[in-house]
Amino acid sequence: MKVLVTGGTGYIGSHVVVELIKQNHECVVLDNLSNSNESVLDSVKKITGIRPTFYKADMLDKAALGKVFEQNKFDAVIHMAGFKAVGESVEKPLLYYRNNLDSTLNLALCMKKYGCKNLVFSSSATVYGKPESSPVNESAKLSCANPYGWTKFMNERILSDICNADKSMNVALLRYFNPIGAHESGLIGENPNDIPNNLAPYLIKIIMGELPKINVFGNDYDTPDGTGVRDYIHVVDLAKGHIAALNKLATNCGLVIYNLGTGKGYSVLEVIDAFSHAWGKQIPYSFAPRRAGDVDLYFADPSKANRELGFKCEYNLDDMARDSVNFALTLKKARQKNQ
Ligand code: NAD
Ligand code: UD1
């Protein structure tokens, strides 16, 4: 298949591109590089031998997007471009609604105009808000706690309505749980420029020597060790889930919704332990108050993706920690060499 990957130089996008190429799909990457770097494609080439065609374009720019569709006949689009920082979305809601909604609307218009019928969309477990219980399945009640979450909720709504109105459209809404880890080569992974809000990139910065210690937000949750429990999924497993979803779309399935998670929850302390073990050194941490908006525990019921896509995660927490540490140390070495 010829696949357009929006947000393809980003953290998850770059891993999806690698898996697409490995499965012999033709990949075209579109990104405005607002949160990534074009050099990621050199790493993709090192891993796969292929540097995909790249368009530096903003999805808000209708003309630029139209040109990409004019020049290519896509069988499917994997739409991952978007802003994702929860705190920033609370401070700048307009920026988030505009970027995350207009990009999808512009894309849907182009797909309609150029007859592209298959779309995989990056949604998030954030659409479950504070789940009443775990494991959470796809029919759980939806509710969101911040503008970022609402953009995912609204995008799901928009794409569902488009699918309902046009029976020839196929859309997979993938609700990611907590993607962490990196490609085993250490060449691609998540490394934000600013101080990270999320757990794994924060630990990566500590291993790189850029941050001294981590604050564990809350140790009085109703969980076995008192710290928050999440369903961490290796980014390579997550990427493979996109290929499985593309295969599903090829069966003309209409709208489908899948959780992508492992079905297992790990606490913050368990994650810190796994990273410390993989690093061979204790990650320094101290306890801090709970973070506003955090939930004590949630993890996926992944059985629908398992049943309908044949999708099952292969990597466990130790694998995620090993590959994250390898990525951090590879990056640190490359930076030292360039100094
Ligand atoms: P990322 O920031 O690394 O990648 C997103 C990419 O989109 C970036 O390369 C950015 O430059 C690009 N982008 C943003 N706005 C754009 C625009 N208007 N036009 C073109 N490119 C644009 O983030 P990620 O972690 O790879 O996330 C990918 C998708 O998955 C996002 O939609 C995110 O909301 C969703 N998601 C991520 C997580 C997570 O924990 N990482 C969890 C659930 C869902
Ligand atoms: C967060 C977002 C969620 C988003 C997801 C992926 C919030 C409230 N939720 O999820 O909407 O979909 O990222 O982008 O922001 N932790 C620490 N110290 C840290 C960082 C995190 O103890 O410095 C803890 C958190 O309290 C939580 C766990 O680690 O218990 C995981 O946190 P994080 O990686 O931010 O993911 P989520 O909170 O699950």
Side-chain angles (χ1 to χ4, degrees):
M1 275 191 239
K2 183 163 183 174
V3 185
L4 173 65
V5 184
T6 78
T9 47
Y11 169 48
I12 300 168
S14 54
H15 290 85
V16 169
V17 167
V18 166
E19 290 308 314
L20 282 167
I21 294 173
K22 275 172 72 179
Q23 301 281 327
N24 295 319
H25 293 291
E26 188 186 346
C27 232
V28 173
V29 171
L30 181 149
D31 203 295
N32 66 358
L33 304 179
S34 57
N35 195 36
S36 54
N37 198 298
E38 193 179 338
S39 65
V40 160
L41 298 176
D42 300 330
S43 302
V44 168
K45 182 161 184 204
K46 276 191 197 147
I47 296 168
T48 65
I50 290 174
R51 194 183 202 276
T53 307
F54 177 60
Y55 289 90
K56 180 175 186 295
D58 194 316
M59 298 200 67
L60 303 186
D61 181 345
K62 282 187 204 157
L65 194 58
K67 223 182 201 166
V68 175
F69 274 83
E70 216 172 274
Q71 291 173 359
N72 299 275
K73 173 100 186 92
F74 297 116
D75 300 298
V77 179
I78 301 183
H79 178 34
M80 286 178 283
F83 293 155
K84 63 165 183 175
V86 170
E88 188 182 50
S89 80
V90 175
E91 284 158 27
K92 301 174 184 170
L94 195 51
L95 181 76
Y96 271 66
Y97 285 117
R98 187 158 132 74
N99 194 55
N100 291 2
L101 296 179
D102 279 357
S103 56
T104 304
L105 292 173
N106 288 344
L107 176 66
L109 284 167
C110 271
M111 290 180 69
K112 190 175 165 72
K113 182 169 174 193
Y114 292 92
C116 181
K117 300 289 183 185
N118 300 306
L119 174 66
V120 177
F121 175 68
S122 298
S123 189
S124 166
T126 196
V127 297
Y128 296 121
K130 278 185 190 241
E132 279 161 11
S133 63
S134 276
V136 190
N137 70 34
E138 290 81 353
S139 42
K141 206 173 90 213
L142 304 187
S143 79
C144 301
N146 50 67
Y148 166 72
W150 284 114
T151 68
K152 292 299 178 194
F153 177 94
M154 291 177 193
N155 269 313
E156 286 202 359
R157 186 72 258 158
I158 291 165
L159 295 173
S160 306
D161 288 343
I162 289 173
C163 229
N164 284 336
D166 178 355
K167 298 297 176 212
S168 65
M169 276 297 291
N170 303 299
V171 173
L173 305 176
L174 301 183
R175 294 179 181 156
Y176 309 161
F177 279 67
N178 288 53
I180 66 169
H183 190 264
E184 62 178 5
S185 62
L187 294 171
I188 51 175
E190 185 173 28
N191 179 41
N193 287 330
D194 40 5
I195 295 181
N197 299 306
N198 299 117
L199 180 60
Y202 203 103
L203 297 179
I204 285 173
K205 293 263 186 211
I206 293 175
I207 294 162
M208 289 176 68
E210 293 181 8
L211 291 169
K213 72 162 178 84
I214 184 155
N215 283 323
V216 174
F217 298 138
N219 60 349
D220 56 353
Y221 283 111
D222 188 15
T223 59
D225 66 19
T227 66
V229 168
R230 297 289 182 276
D231 185 336
Y232 297 95
I233 173 171
H234 196 298
V235 66
V236 172
D237 273 332
L238 186 76
K240 288 179 180 165
H242 291 69
I243 316 294
L246 274 186
N247 293 337
K248 178 74 181 179
L249 296 186
T251 67
N252 280 325
C253 53
L255 179 78
V256 287
I257 305 177
Y258 296 108
N259 283 341
L260 292 184
T262 65
K264 286 194 196 77
Y266 290 102
S267 73
V268 179
L269 290 183
E270 284 175 311
V271 175
I272 291 176
D273 272 356
F275 274 63
S276 301
H277 181 72
W279 189 27
K281 274 192 233 177
Q282 178 62 49
I283 304 237
Y285 68 88
S286 52
F287 293 117
R290 292 180 178 198
R291 180 173 66 177
D294 266 354
V295 181
D296 55 352
L297 167 150
Y298 69 93
F299 53 92
D301 174 351
S303 58
K304 189 173 173 220
N306 188 346
R307 217 171 38 243
E308 295 185 13
L309 302 180
F311 172 73
K312 206 161 190 288
C313 292
E314 289 167 17
Y315 296 97
N316 63 26
L317 181 62
D318 288 336
D319 300 323
M320 300 180 213
R322 178 201 60 217
D323 292 337
S324 295
V325 169
N326 180 40
F327 170 67
L329 296 177
T330 308
L331 201 59
K332 187 177 175 189
K333 221 186 275 169
R335 294 236 166 122
Q336 282 167 346
K337 214 172 124 192
N338 290 336
Q339 268 169 8

